Amino acid sequence: MAKRRWTVVLVPHTAEPSKIVEVSYGVLRSLAVAVGVVAMLALLLGYAAVSHTADQQHTARLRQENERLEQQLGEINGRLATLGDTLSRIAQRDDRIRVLANLEPIDPQVQAAGVGGPAEPTPPGGAETPAIRQSHEIRVDLNGLIRRANLLALSFREAADSLATHSARLAATPSIMPTQGWLTSAFSSMRMHPILHIARPHEGIDVTAPMGSPIEAPAAGVVIETGWETGYGNTVSIDHGYGIVTKFAHTSKILVHEGERVSRGQRIALVGNSGLATGPHLHYEVHVNGRPVDPLKYVLPEHVVTD
């Protein structure tokens, strides 16, 4: 069987004669395959060049982003250091506040427990970039600062509760002389009664003052008893809490009623000579947990003149 052939006639535009070229089918097929291979190689090379260019651009963008990230992490690390210094100053003030609140300072080992933390695991393959290392350090520092801040918050809350209790106790502690006058009889376990002429305990102090002089509550509390009492005349008793009760006797007029809450310096009665009294004066008692104590231990009588 004859081979298939192709005849190509080349006709020039000049006066030269035409040329006839015969080409076999196999040659044309080989030529077509060669052209296809060349085209495929050109496409592959073009794709590789474009992909390489895109990778270079992506790598450049990642490098820029990493540089920005490292810069931002550095700024955050600096702010964390500033925050750590601020917490250190707050901790120093906390120590002083705890002393004022009658609390022991936080143990240094307890404070140290709020600093630092476990190290972060190394990424797979052991690769650790500066940004990753900085992020790990920041995470550890931040966790430590959070624990330290929580410790200080707890300490401040404890100090505030203690100060509130301490303040309430101070407000309930007798600290002023109820009236101004002359101290005519001191606290004693036994004395001769000026009217009955028998020896008996004197569980308070006597302050001589003009009739009608104001008697003030020496501390905050609640009035628990008012009225007439044998020997004491018109009396007022105030419960200040914490086991402290004060009593005021021989008054001429009572200005408060049972159940009323009074504050330090509030007028509760007027000086008189009711009951067994030789003249206008205030008999003032302080009881702690049911036992009488010397009122002068609670207040220095700045305006009281001893007889």
Side-chain angles (χ1 to χ4, degrees), residues 11-149:
V11 181
H13 291 282
T14 61
E16 295 181 1
S18 300
K19 294 181 180 180
I20 298 174
V21 179
E22 292 184 357
V23 181
S24 67
Y25 180 78
V27 172
L28 289 177
R29 185 171 59 183
S30 299
L31 183 61
V33 170
V35 171
V37 171
V38 170
M40 183 64 67
L41 289 175
L43 289 174
L44 290 175
L45 291 174
Y47 175 78
V50 172
S51 177
H52 180 67
T53 302
D55 289 342
Q56 286 183 330
Q57 294 176 349
H58 181 66
T59 301
R61 286 196 300 270
L62 288 178
R63 187 180 299 111
Q64 293 176 353
E65 291 178 0
N66 285 336
E67 290 176 354
R68 287 196 298 269
L69 179 60
E70 290 179 10
Q71 182 180 1
Q72 292 174 356
L73 289 175
E75 294 175 356
I76 294 174
N77 205 13
R79 293 180 181 179
L80 287 178
T82 302
L83 179 58
D85 294 339
T86 301
L87 286 177
S88 296
R89 290 193 296 271
I90 293 175
Q92 293 175 356
R93 296 198 176 193
D94 177 65
D95 288 341
R96 290 194 288 269
I97 291 174
R98 290 182 69 85
V99 171
L100 293 175
N102 199 28
L103 296 173
E104 291 293 331
I106 297 178
D107 190 277
Q109 293 183 351
V110 177
Q111 289 185 350
V115 182
E120 293 290 331
T122 303
E128 186 178 47
T129 64
I132 293 176
R133 184 168 55 253
Q134 275 190 318
S135 67
H136 291 172
E137 293 173 354
I138 288 174
R139 185 176 295 109
V140 171
D141 291 343
L142 183 59
N143 290 337
L145 290 175
I146 291 174
R147 289 192 295 272
R148 193 172 184 183

Side-chain angles (χ1 to χ4, degrees), residues 29 60 85 91 107 111 149 154 161 169 173 256 279 281 286 288 306:
R29 185 171 59 183
D85 294 339
D107 190 277
Q111 289 185 350
L154 181 62
D161 293 341
R169 188 179 186 91
T173 302
V256 292
H281 74 284
V286 176
V288 178
T306 57

